[in-house]
Amino acid sequence: KAGVTQTPRYLIKTRGQQVTLSCSPISGHRSVSWYQQTPGQGLQFLFEYFSETQRNKGNFPGRFSGRQFSNSRSEMNVSTLELGDSALYLCASSLAGFTYEQYFGPGTRLTVT
Amino acid sequence: GQQVMQIPQYQHVQEGEDFTTYCNSSTTLSNIQWYKQRPGGHPVFLIQLVKSGEVKKQKRLTFQFGEAKKNSSLHITATQTTDVGTYFCAGDGETSGSRLTFGEGTQLTVNP
């Protein structure tokens, strides 16, 4: 079956702009999580969605938000971009949450200039 | 909040040598998962451990979960160049409100 897809794969934005990233989970998976990966901070948990509801949230400012649609596809939005937001943003899908293995997408590489 | 620490941060080995990475959590975990990320790639699930003292093997890889469910290790026997990558542990805390906290990872390089 098809894996997790993320679009776009690469993005260059300017400070102050906003960006929306998209994630399509594996068919049948209801949980989608988002992570920020940077060389210095590793993989940081942003939030998890399950059946269109945000179930858990990491320690990120309110500029980072997300949502999940009825078909389990998820979007992540970052407003008022800062240079420090440059990172690889990964989404992961699983059947029902963190007691199940996570399938990661290829990520979106965001560069903020 | 829950913290997961992983050591070493880097490990360079000659092909054929063994490799071990260790993972320690500040809180008790309900389960621990291990992932491998190749250079330029994304994390790929390797295994999940749930039971106290559990040991699982996958060919040359051996995974252990500590008796107190606060630490874990991954051991690779006779490394090969295909083992190159960063190995992450990720813990789901029993009281963390259900989130997966990743260790910083151990970057393994294997010299042929």
PDB file of all heavy atoms in Angstrom, chain A residues 35 37 43 45 48 56-59 88 90 98-102 104-106, chain B residues 31 33 35 37 41-43 45 48 88 92 96-100 102-104:
ATOM      1  N   TYR A  35       6.369  16.370  13.455  1.00  0.00           N
ATOM      2  CA  TYR A  35       7.624  16.563  14.158  1.00  0.00           C
ATOM      3  C   TYR A  35       8.464  17.592  13.413  1.00  0.00           C
ATOM      4  O   TYR A  35       8.411  17.682  12.191  1.00  0.00           O
ATOM      5  CB  TYR A  35       8.424  15.262  14.233  1.00  0.00           C
ATOM      6  CG  TYR A  35       7.738  14.177  15.030  1.00  0.00           C
ATOM      7  CD1 TYR A  35       6.808  13.331  14.430  1.00  0.00           C
ATOM      8  CD2 TYR A  35       8.027  14.000  16.376  1.00  0.00           C
ATOM      9  CE1 TYR A  35       6.180  12.342  15.155  1.00  0.00           C
ATOM     10  CE2 TYR A  35       7.404  13.006  17.114  1.00  0.00           C
ATOM     11  CZ  TYR A  35       6.482  12.181  16.498  1.00  0.00           C
ATOM     12  OH  TYR A  35       5.851  11.201  17.212  1.00  0.00           O
ATOM     13  N   GLN A  37      12.402  18.490  12.795  1.00  0.00           N
ATOM     14  CA  GLN A  37      13.738  17.928  12.950  1.00  0.00           C
ATOM     15  C   GLN A  37      14.789  18.951  12.540  1.00  0.00           C
ATOM     16  O   GLN A  37      14.791  19.449  11.422  1.00  0.00           O
ATOM     17  CB  GLN A  37      13.909  16.649  12.130  1.00  0.00           C
ATOM     18  CG  GLN A  37      15.253  15.967  12.394  1.00  0.00           C
ATOM     19  CD  GLN A  37      15.393  14.626  11.715  1.00  0.00           C
ATOM     20  OE1 GLN A  37      14.863  14.390  10.635  1.00  0.00           O
ATOM     21  NE2 GLN A  37      16.097  13.699  12.374  1.00  0.00           N
ATOM     22  N   LEU A  43      14.465  15.372  16.906  1.00  0.00           N
ATOM     23  CA  LEU A  43      13.052  15.278  16.519  1.00  0.00           C
ATOM     24  C   LEU A  43      12.184  15.805  17.653  1.00  0.00           C
ATOM     25  O   LEU A  43      12.112  15.221  18.719  1.00  0.00           O
ATOM     26  CB  LEU A  43      12.678  13.823  16.244  1.00  0.00           C
ATOM     27  CG  LEU A  43      12.931  13.294  14.857  1.00  0.00           C
ATOM     28  CD1 LEU A  43      13.115  11.798  14.884  1.00  0.00           C
ATOM     29  CD2 LEU A  43      11.748  13.627  13.948  1.00  0.00           C
ATOM     30  N   PHE A  45       8.423  16.837  18.989  1.00  0.00           N
ATOM     31  CA  PHE A  45       7.007  16.580  18.754  1.00  0.00           C
ATOM     32  C   PHE A  45       6.226  17.884  18.704  1.00  0.00           C
ATOM     33  O   PHE A  45       6.335  18.719  19.603  1.00  0.00           O
ATOM     34  CB  PHE A  45       6.495  15.690  19.890  1.00  0.00           C
ATOM     35  CG  PHE A  45       5.012  15.479  19.915  1.00  0.00           C
ATOM     36  CD1 PHE A  45       4.400  14.651  18.991  1.00  0.00           C
ATOM     37  CD2 PHE A  45       4.232  16.120  20.865  1.00  0.00           C
ATOM     38  CE1 PHE A  45       3.030  14.456  19.031  1.00  0.00           C
ATOM     39  CE2 PHE A  45       2.868  15.924  20.907  1.00  0.00           C
ATOM     40  CZ  PHE A  45       2.259  15.092  19.988  1.00  0.00           C
ATOM     41  N   GLU A  48      -0.359  15.837  17.693  1.00  0.00           N
ATOM     42  CA  GLU A  48      -0.949  14.631  17.139  1.00  0.00           C
ATOM     43  C   GLU A  48      -2.438  14.837  16.928  1.00  0.00           C
ATOM     44  O   GLU A  48      -3.118  15.432  17.786  1.00  0.00           O
ATOM     45  CB  GLU A  48      -0.751  13.431  18.067  1.00  0.00           C
ATOM     46  CG  GLU A  48      -1.255  12.112  17.462  1.00  0.00           C
ATOM     47  CD  GLU A  48      -1.981  11.217  18.452  1.00  0.00           C
ATOM     48  OE1 GLU A  48      -2.152  11.606  19.623  1.00  0.00           O
ATOM     49  OE2 GLU A  48      -2.399  10.124  18.038  1.00  0.00           O
ATOM     50  N   ASN A  56      -2.851  15.730  21.395  1.00  0.00           N
ATOM     51  CA  ASN A  56      -1.699  16.073  22.210  1.00  0.00           C
ATOM     52  C   ASN A  56      -0.902  17.154  21.491  1.00  0.00           C
ATOM     53  O   ASN A  56      -0.933  17.237  20.254  1.00  0.00           O
ATOM     54  CB  ASN A  56      -0.821  14.844  22.434  1.00  0.00           C
ATOM     55  CG  ASN A  56      -0.035  14.943  23.724  1.00  0.00           C
ATOM     56  OD1 ASN A  56       0.079  16.005  24.317  1.00  0.00           O
ATOM     57  ND2 ASN A  56       0.511  13.840  24.161  1.00  0.00           N
ATOM     58  N   LYS A  57      -0.209  17.960  22.265  1.00  0.00           N
ATOM     59  CA  LYS A  57       0.524  19.078  21.689  1.00  0.00           C
ATOM     60  C   LYS A  57       1.868  19.205  22.385  1.00  0.00           C
ATOM     61  O   LYS A  57       1.957  19.071  23.609  1.00  0.00           O
ATOM     62  CB  LYS A  57      -0.283  20.366  21.855  1.00  0.00           C
ATOM     63  CG  LYS A  57       0.264  21.558  21.088  1.00  0.00           C
ATOM     64  CD  LYS A  57      -0.643  22.773  21.261  1.00  0.00           C
ATOM     65  CE  LYS A  57      -0.278  23.894  20.312  1.00  0.00           C
ATOM     66  NZ  LYS A  57       1.093  24.368  20.436  1.00  0.00           N
ATOM     67  N   GLY A  58       2.901  19.473  21.603  1.00  0.00           N
ATOM     68  CA  GLY A  58       4.227  19.684  22.155  1.00  0.00           C
ATOM     69  C   GLY A  58       4.421  21.118  22.600  1.00  0.00           C
ATOM     70  O   GLY A  58       3.492  21.921  22.613  1.00  0.00           O
ATOM     71  N   ASN A  59       5.649  21.435  22.947  1.00  0.00           N
ATOM     72  CA  ASN A  59       5.963  22.756  23.495  1.00  0.00           C
ATOM     73  C   ASN A  59       6.404  23.731  22.418  1.00  0.00           C
ATOM     74  O   ASN A  59       7.544  24.182  22.393  1.00  0.00           O
ATOM     75  CB  ASN A  59       7.043  22.629  24.565  1.00  0.00           C
ATOM     76  CG  ASN A  59       6.598  21.750  25.699  1.00  0.00           C
ATOM     77  OD1 ASN A  59       5.440  21.786  26.109  1.00  0.00           O
ATOM     78  ND2 ASN A  59       7.506  20.934  26.210  1.00  0.00           N
ATOM     79  N   LEU A  88      13.410  20.393   8.881  1.00  0.00           N
ATOM     80  CA  LEU A  88      12.691  19.343   8.163  1.00  0.00           C
ATOM     81  C   LEU A  88      11.446  19.012   8.980  1.00  0.00           C
ATOM     82  O   LEU A  88      11.542  18.704  10.169  1.00  0.00           O
ATOM     83  CB  LEU A  88      13.566  18.093   8.029  1.00  0.00           C
ATOM     84  CG  LEU A  88      12.936  16.895   7.305  1.00  0.00           C
ATOM     85  CD1 LEU A  88      12.709  17.214   5.827  1.00  0.00           C
ATOM     86  CD2 LEU A  88      13.824  15.663   7.457  1.00  0.00           C
ATOM     87  N   LEU A  90       8.428  16.597   9.552  1.00  0.00           N
ATOM     88  CA  LEU A  90       8.042  15.219   9.265  1.00  0.00           C
ATOM     89  C   LEU A  90       6.657  14.941   9.813  1.00  0.00           C
ATOM     90  O   LEU A  90       6.323  15.367  10.921  1.00  0.00           O
ATOM     91  CB  LEU A  90       9.028  14.250   9.929  1.00  0.00           C
ATOM     92  CG  LEU A  90      10.447  14.240   9.377  1.00  0.00           C
ATOM     93  CD1 LEU A  90      11.406  13.681  10.408  1.00  0.00           C
ATOM     94  CD2 LEU A  90      10.515  13.418   8.103  1.00  0.00           C
ATOM     95  N   PHE A  98       0.365   6.266  19.675  1.00  0.00           N
ATOM     96  CA  PHE A  98       1.755   5.959  19.973  1.00  0.00           C
ATOM     97  C   PHE A  98       1.992   4.563  20.521  1.00  0.00           C
ATOM     98  O   PHE A  98       3.127   4.205  20.802  1.00  0.00           O
ATOM     99  CB  PHE A  98       2.306   7.016  20.932  1.00  0.00           C
ATOM    100  CG  PHE A  98       2.253   8.386  20.343  1.00  0.00           C
ATOM    101  CD1 PHE A  98       1.608   9.410  20.993  1.00  0.00           C
ATOM    102  CD2 PHE A  98       2.822   8.644  19.111  1.00  0.00           C
ATOM    103  CE1 PHE A  98       1.530  10.675  20.438  1.00  0.00           C
ATOM    104  CE2 PHE A  98       2.759   9.900  18.541  1.00  0.00           C
ATOM    105  CZ  PHE A  98       2.111  10.925  19.213  1.00  0.00           C
ATOM    106  N   THR A  99       0.982   3.773  20.681  1.00  0.00           N
ATOM    107  CA  THR A  99       1.213   2.379  21.039  1.00  0.00           C
ATOM    108  C   THR A  99       1.420   1.549  19.769  1.00  0.00           C
ATOM    109  O   THR A  99       1.634   0.343  19.849  1.00  0.00           O
ATOM    110  CB  THR A  99       0.035   1.813  21.843  1.00  0.00           C
ATOM    111  OG1 THR A  99      -1.166   2.000  21.090  1.00  0.00           O
ATOM    112  CG2 THR A  99      -0.085   2.507  23.182  1.00  0.00           C
ATOM    113  N   TYR A 100       1.351   2.219  18.629  1.00  0.00           N
ATOM    114  CA  TYR A 100       1.560   1.558  17.343  1.00  0.00           C
ATOM    115  C   TYR A 100       2.773   2.156  16.653  1.00  0.00           C
ATOM    116  O   TYR A 100       3.151   3.294  16.900  1.00  0.00           O
ATOM    117  CB  TYR A 100       0.338   1.724  16.453  1.00  0.00           C
ATOM    118  CG  TYR A 100      -0.922   1.083  16.996  1.00  0.00           C
ATOM    119  CD1 TYR A 100      -1.735   1.784  17.878  1.00  0.00           C
ATOM    120  CD2 TYR A 100      -1.280  -0.207  16.635  1.00  0.00           C
ATOM    121  CE1 TYR A 100      -2.879   1.206  18.385  1.00  0.00           C
ATOM    122  CE2 TYR A 100      -2.432  -0.791  17.137  1.00  0.00           C
ATOM    123  CZ  TYR A 100      -3.226  -0.080  18.014  1.00  0.00           C
ATOM    124  OH  TYR A 100      -4.358  -0.653  18.521  1.00  0.00           O
ATOM    125  N   GLU A 101       3.348   1.375  15.740  1.00  0.00           N
ATOM    126  CA  GLU A 101       4.500   1.896  15.024  1.00  0.00           C
ATOM    127  C   GLU A 101       4.103   3.085  14.174  1.00  0.00           C
ATOM    128  O   GLU A 101       2.988   3.172  13.660  1.00  0.00           O
ATOM    129  CB  GLU A 101       5.123   0.805  14.152  1.00  0.00           C
ATOM    130  CG  GLU A 101       4.220   0.254  13.092  1.00  0.00           C
ATOM    131  CD  GLU A 101       4.835  -0.981  12.449  1.00  0.00           C
ATOM    132  OE1 GLU A 101       4.642  -2.081  12.990  1.00  0.00           O
ATOM    133  OE2 GLU A 101       5.501  -0.821  11.414  1.00  0.00           O
ATOM    134  N   GLN A 102       5.046   4.006  14.063  1.00  0.00           N
ATOM    135  CA  GLN A 102       4.840   5.234  13.309  1.00  0.00           C
ATOM    136  C   GLN A 102       5.476   5.082  11.924  1.00  0.00           C
ATOM    137  O   GLN A 102       6.619   4.661  11.803  1.00  0.00           O
ATOM    138  CB  GLN A 102       5.494   6.408  14.040  1.00  0.00           C
ATOM    139  CG  GLN A 102       5.055   6.567  15.491  1.00  0.00           C
ATOM    140  CD  GLN A 102       3.622   7.001  15.626  1.00  0.00           C
ATOM    141  OE1 GLN A 102       3.228   8.025  15.084  1.00  0.00           O
ATOM    142  NE2 GLN A 102       2.831   6.232  16.364  1.00  0.00           N
ATOM    143  N   PHE A 104       6.740   7.238   8.885  1.00  0.00           N
ATOM    144  CA  PHE A 104       7.078   8.612   8.565  1.00  0.00           C
ATOM    145  C   PHE A 104       7.011   8.877   7.069  1.00  0.00           C
ATOM    146  O   PHE A 104       7.320   8.001   6.246  1.00  0.00           O
ATOM    147  CB  PHE A 104       8.493   8.937   9.053  1.00  0.00           C
ATOM    148  CG  PHE A 104       8.565   9.201  10.531  1.00  0.00           C
ATOM    149  CD1 PHE A 104       8.665   8.159  11.433  1.00  0.00           C
ATOM    150  CD2 PHE A 104       8.526  10.499  11.017  1.00  0.00           C
ATOM    151  CE1 PHE A 104       8.720   8.389  12.797  1.00  0.00           C
ATOM    152  CE2 PHE A 104       8.584  10.750  12.387  1.00  0.00           C
ATOM    153  CZ  PHE A 104       8.682   9.692  13.269  1.00  0.00           C
ATOM    154  N   GLY A 105       6.636  10.098   6.746  1.00  0.00           N
ATOM    155  CA  GLY A 105       6.718  10.563   5.378  1.00  0.00           C
ATOM    156  C   GLY A 105       8.120  11.074   5.086  1.00  0.00           C
ATOM    157  O   GLY A 105       8.963  11.134   5.985  1.00  0.00           O
ATOM    158  N   PRO A 106       8.381  11.472   3.841  1.00  0.00           N
ATOM    159  CA  PRO A 106       9.721  11.926   3.456  1.00  0.00           C
ATOM    160  C   PRO A 106      10.072  13.302   4.004  1.00  0.00           C
ATOM    161  O   PRO A 106      11.240  13.683   4.009  1.00  0.00           O
ATOM    162  CB  PRO A 106       9.668  11.953   1.930  1.00  0.00           C
ATOM    163  CG  PRO A 106       8.226  12.165   1.622  1.00  0.00           C
ATOM    164  CD  PRO A 106       7.458  11.454   2.690  1.00  0.00           C
TER     165      PRO A 106
ATOM    166  N   ASN B  31       5.971   2.071  26.505  1.00  0.00           N
ATOM    167  CA  ASN B  31       6.621   1.320  25.445  1.00  0.00           C
ATOM    168  C   ASN B  31       7.774   2.139  24.895  1.00  0.00           C
ATOM    169  O   ASN B  31       7.831   3.361  25.093  1.00  0.00           O
ATOM    170  CB  ASN B  31       5.640   0.930  24.333  1.00  0.00           C
ATOM    171  CG  ASN B  31       5.307   2.096  23.408  1.00  0.00           C
ATOM    172  OD1 ASN B  31       6.082   2.441  22.518  1.00  0.00           O
ATOM    173  ND2 ASN B  31       4.158   2.704  23.618  1.00  0.00           N
ATOM    174  N   GLN B  33      10.163   2.581  21.244  1.00  0.00           N
ATOM    175  CA  GLN B  33      10.300   2.224  19.847  1.00  0.00           C
ATOM    176  C   GLN B  33      11.686   2.655  19.362  1.00  0.00           C
ATOM    177  O   GLN B  33      12.259   3.617  19.864  1.00  0.00           O
ATOM    178  CB  GLN B  33       9.212   2.910  19.019  1.00  0.00           C
ATOM    179  CG  GLN B  33       7.802   2.518  19.445  1.00  0.00           C
ATOM    180  CD  GLN B  33       6.725   3.270  18.694  1.00  0.00           C
ATOM    181  OE1 GLN B  33       6.977   3.940  17.701  1.00  0.00           O
ATOM    182  NE2 GLN B  33       5.488   3.165  19.170  1.00  0.00           N
ATOM    183  N   TYR B  35      13.965   3.549  15.822  1.00  0.00           N
ATOM    184  CA  TYR B  35      13.887   3.950  14.423  1.00  0.00           C
ATOM    185  C   TYR B  35      15.296   4.121  13.868  1.00  0.00           C
ATOM    186  O   TYR B  35      16.235   4.449  14.593  1.00  0.00           O
ATOM    187  CB  TYR B  35      13.129   5.282  14.281  1.00  0.00           C
ATOM    188  CG  TYR B  35      11.663   5.175  14.619  1.00  0.00           C
ATOM    189  CD1 TYR B  35      11.227   5.202  15.938  1.00  0.00           C
ATOM    190  CD2 TYR B  35      10.709   5.030  13.615  1.00  0.00           C
ATOM    191  CE1 TYR B  35       9.883   5.087  16.249  1.00  0.00           C
ATOM    192  CE2 TYR B  35       9.363   4.918  13.917  1.00  0.00           C
ATOM    193  CZ  TYR B  35       8.962   4.945  15.241  1.00  0.00           C
ATOM    194  OH  TYR B  35       7.628   4.823  15.547  1.00  0.00           O
ATOM    195  N   GLN B  37      17.292   6.176  10.697  1.00  0.00           N
ATOM    196  CA  GLN B  37      17.186   7.190   9.650  1.00  0.00           C
ATOM    197  C   GLN B  37      18.486   7.196   8.854  1.00  0.00           C
ATOM    198  O   GLN B  37      19.552   7.521   9.394  1.00  0.00           O
ATOM    199  CB  GLN B  37      16.917   8.575  10.258  1.00  0.00           C
ATOM    200  CG  GLN B  37      16.668   9.668   9.240  1.00  0.00           C
ATOM    201  CD  GLN B  37      16.237  10.986   9.890  1.00  0.00           C
ATOM    202  OE1 GLN B  37      16.470  11.212  11.075  1.00  0.00           O
ATOM    203  NE2 GLN B  37      15.599  11.872   9.144  1.00  0.00           N
ATOM    204  N   GLY B  41      17.316  10.621   4.522  1.00  0.00           N
ATOM    205  CA  GLY B  41      16.036   9.909   4.542  1.00  0.00           C
ATOM    206  C   GLY B  41      15.172  10.275   5.724  1.00  0.00           C
ATOM    207  O   GLY B  41      15.423  11.263   6.407  1.00  0.00           O
ATOM    208  N   HIS B  42      14.145   9.479   5.948  1.00  0.00           N
ATOM    209  CA  HIS B  42      13.247   9.716   7.062  1.00  0.00           C
ATOM    210  C   HIS B  42      13.318   8.531   8.021  1.00  0.00           C
ATOM    211  O   HIS B  42      13.767   7.442   7.646  1.00  0.00           O
ATOM    212  CB  HIS B  42      11.813   9.912   6.553  1.00  0.00           C
ATOM    213  CG  HIS B  42      11.315   8.773   5.725  1.00  0.00           C
ATOM    214  ND1 HIS B  42      11.520   8.695   4.372  1.00  0.00           N
ATOM    215  CD2 HIS B  42      10.626   7.658   6.071  1.00  0.00           C
ATOM    216  CE1 HIS B  42      10.972   7.595   3.912  1.00  0.00           C
ATOM    217  NE2 HIS B  42      10.425   6.938   4.916  1.00  0.00           N
ATOM    218  N   PRO B  43      12.902   8.730   9.269  1.00  0.00           N
ATOM    219  CA  PRO B  43      12.957   7.621  10.226  1.00  0.00           C
ATOM    220  C   PRO B  43      12.105   6.446   9.781  1.00  0.00           C
ATOM    221  O   PRO B  43      10.977   6.618   9.307  1.00  0.00           O
ATOM    222  CB  PRO B  43      12.413   8.250  11.509  1.00  0.00           C
ATOM    223  CG  PRO B  43      12.635   9.715  11.351  1.00  0.00           C
ATOM    224  CD  PRO B  43      12.451   9.982   9.885  1.00  0.00           C
ATOM    225  N   PHE B  45      10.695   2.693  11.147  1.00  0.00           N
ATOM    226  CA  PHE B  45      10.440   1.900  12.348  1.00  0.00           C
ATOM    227  C   PHE B  45      11.232   0.597  12.304  1.00  0.00           C
ATOM    228  O   PHE B  45      11.270  -0.102  11.285  1.00  0.00           O
ATOM    229  CB  PHE B  45       8.945   1.599  12.431  1.00  0.00           C
ATOM    230  CG  PHE B  45       8.549   0.682  13.561  1.00  0.00           C
ATOM    231  CD1 PHE B  45       8.363   1.188  14.834  1.00  0.00           C
ATOM    232  CD2 PHE B  45       8.356  -0.680  13.348  1.00  0.00           C
ATOM    233  CE1 PHE B  45       7.983   0.359  15.880  1.00  0.00           C
ATOM    234  CE2 PHE B  45       7.982  -1.512  14.380  1.00  0.00           C
ATOM    235  CZ  PHE B  45       7.794  -0.998  15.650  1.00  0.00           C
ATOM    236  N   GLN B  48       9.325  -2.337  18.442  1.00  0.00           N
ATOM    237  CA  GLN B  48       8.692  -1.787  19.638  1.00  0.00           C
ATOM    238  C   GLN B  48       8.845  -2.782  20.778  1.00  0.00           C
ATOM    239  O   GLN B  48       8.653  -3.984  20.587  1.00  0.00           O
ATOM    240  CB  GLN B  48       7.214  -1.506  19.378  1.00  0.00           C
ATOM    241  CG  GLN B  48       6.472  -1.019  20.623  1.00  0.00           C
ATOM    242  CD  GLN B  48       5.030  -0.672  20.344  1.00  0.00           C
ATOM    243  OE1 GLN B  48       4.700   0.469  20.072  1.00  0.00           O
ATOM    244  NE2 GLN B  48       4.165  -1.668  20.410  1.00  0.00           N
ATOM    245  N   PHE B  88      17.438   6.164  16.466  1.00  0.00           N
ATOM    246  CA  PHE B  88      16.676   6.901  17.479  1.00  0.00           C
ATOM    247  C   PHE B  88      15.860   5.947  18.333  1.00  0.00           C
ATOM    248  O   PHE B  88      15.247   5.006  17.816  1.00  0.00           O
ATOM    249  CB  PHE B  88      15.676   7.863  16.827  1.00  0.00           C
ATOM    250  CG  PHE B  88      16.276   9.004  16.071  1.00  0.00           C
ATOM    251  CD1 PHE B  88      16.479   8.921  14.695  1.00  0.00           C
ATOM    252  CD2 PHE B  88      16.630  10.178  16.718  1.00  0.00           C
ATOM    253  CE1 PHE B  88      17.014   9.984  13.989  1.00  0.00           C
ATOM    254  CE2 PHE B  88      17.162  11.256  16.024  1.00  0.00           C
ATOM    255  CZ  PHE B  88      17.366  11.144  14.656  1.00  0.00           C
ATOM    256  N   ASP B  92       7.160   6.349  24.861  1.00  0.00           N
ATOM    257  CA  ASP B  92       5.810   6.817  25.170  1.00  0.00           C
ATOM    258  C   ASP B  92       5.657   6.689  26.679  1.00  0.00           C
ATOM    259  O   ASP B  92       5.576   5.576  27.214  1.00  0.00           O
ATOM    260  CB  ASP B  92       4.778   5.951  24.439  1.00  0.00           C
ATOM    261  CG  ASP B  92       3.353   6.410  24.686  1.00  0.00           C
ATOM    262  OD1 ASP B  92       3.164   7.504  25.235  1.00  0.00           O
ATOM    263  OD2 ASP B  92       2.428   5.667  24.314  1.00  0.00           O
ATOM    264  N   SER B  96       2.819  10.782  30.424  1.00  0.00           N
ATOM    265  CA  SER B  96       3.173  11.984  29.661  1.00  0.00           C
ATOM    266  C   SER B  96       2.019  12.519  28.836  1.00  0.00           C
ATOM    267  O   SER B  96       2.182  13.467  28.102  1.00  0.00           O
ATOM    268  CB  SER B  96       4.353  11.692  28.739  1.00  0.00           C
ATOM    269  OG  SER B  96       3.970  10.775  27.734  1.00  0.00           O
ATOM    270  N   GLY B  97       0.875  11.912  28.949  1.00  0.00           N
ATOM    271  CA  GLY B  97      -0.254  12.370  28.161  1.00  0.00           C
ATOM    272  C   GLY B  97      -0.189  11.853  26.748  1.00  0.00           C
ATOM    273  O   GLY B  97      -0.751  12.472  25.842  1.00  0.00           O
ATOM    274  N   SER B  98       0.505  10.760  26.585  1.00  0.00           N
ATOM    275  CA  SER B  98       0.612  10.107  25.289  1.00  0.00           C
ATOM    276  C   SER B  98       1.288  10.964  24.235  1.00  0.00           C
ATOM    277  O   SER B  98       0.649  11.727  23.499  1.00  0.00           O
ATOM    278  CB  SER B  98      -0.769   9.665  24.793  1.00  0.00           C
ATOM    279  OG  SER B  98      -0.638   8.932  23.592  1.00  0.00           O
ATOM    280  N   ARG B  99       2.560  10.913  24.213  1.00  0.00           N
ATOM    281  CA  ARG B  99       3.339  11.515  23.153  1.00  0.00           C
ATOM    282  C   ARG B  99       4.592  10.677  23.025  1.00  0.00           C
ATOM    283  O   ARG B  99       5.009  10.020  23.969  1.00  0.00           O
ATOM    284  CB  ARG B  99       3.697  12.962  23.466  1.00  0.00           C
ATOM    285  CG  ARG B  99       4.688  13.140  24.602  1.00  0.00           C
ATOM    286  CD  ARG B  99       5.097  14.572  24.786  1.00  0.00           C
ATOM    287  NE  ARG B  99       3.978  15.423  25.092  1.00  0.00           N
ATOM    288  CZ  ARG B  99       4.064  16.753  25.221  1.00  0.00           C
ATOM    289  NH1 ARG B  99       5.232  17.350  25.065  1.00  0.00           N
ATOM    290  NH2 ARG B  99       3.009  17.471  25.503  1.00  0.00           N
ATOM    291  N   LEU B 100       5.178  10.734  21.859  1.00  0.00           N
ATOM    292  CA  LEU B 100       6.404   9.994  21.627  1.00  0.00           C
ATOM    293  C   LEU B 100       7.570  10.974  21.751  1.00  0.00           C
ATOM    294  O   LEU B 100       7.664  11.929  20.976  1.00  0.00           O
ATOM    295  CB  LEU B 100       6.357   9.382  20.234  1.00  0.00           C
ATOM    296  CG  LEU B 100       7.001   8.005  20.022  1.00  0.00           C
ATOM    297  CD1 LEU B 100       6.494   6.993  21.020  1.00  0.00           C
ATOM    298  CD2 LEU B 100       6.739   7.525  18.605  1.00  0.00           C
ATOM    299  N   PHE B 102      11.460  11.554  21.450  1.00  0.00           N
ATOM    300  CA  PHE B 102      12.619  10.970  20.793  1.00  0.00           C
ATOM    301  C   PHE B 102      13.903  11.334  21.515  1.00  0.00           C
ATOM    302  O   PHE B 102      14.067  12.465  22.005  1.00  0.00           O
ATOM    303  CB  PHE B 102      12.704  11.450  19.343  1.00  0.00           C
ATOM    304  CG  PHE B 102      11.820  10.696  18.399  1.00  0.00           C
ATOM    305  CD1 PHE B 102      10.452  10.946  18.348  1.00  0.00           C
ATOM    306  CD2 PHE B 102      12.339   9.725  17.548  1.00  0.00           C
ATOM    307  CE1 PHE B 102       9.627  10.247  17.484  1.00  0.00           C
ATOM    308  CE2 PHE B 102      11.519   9.020  16.676  1.00  0.00           C
ATOM    309  CZ  PHE B 102      10.165   9.280  16.649  1.00  0.00           C
ATOM    310  N   GLY B 103      14.827  10.381  21.549  1.00  0.00           N
ATOM    311  CA  GLY B 103      16.183  10.691  21.968  1.00  0.00           C
ATOM    312  C   GLY B 103      16.869  11.469  20.852  1.00  0.00           C
ATOM    313  O   GLY B 103      16.342  11.593  19.748  1.00  0.00           O
ATOM    314  N   GLU B 104      18.059  11.983  21.171  1.00  0.00           N
ATOM    315  CA  GLU B 104      18.771  12.806  20.181  1.00  0.00           C
ATOM    316  C   GLU B 104      19.359  11.972  19.053  1.00  0.00           C
ATOM    317  O   GLU B 104      19.768  12.506  18.028  1.00  0.00           O
ATOM    318  CB  GLU B 104      19.898  13.609  20.862  1.00  0.00           C
ATOM    319  CG  GLU B 104      19.421  14.559  21.940  1.00  0.00           C
ATOM    320  CD  GLU B 104      19.417  13.892  23.303  1.00  0.00           C
ATOM    321  OE1 GLU B 104      19.483  12.648  23.371  1.00  0.00           O
ATOM    322  OE2 GLU B 104      19.340  14.623  24.290  1.00  0.00           O
TER     323      GLU B 104
END
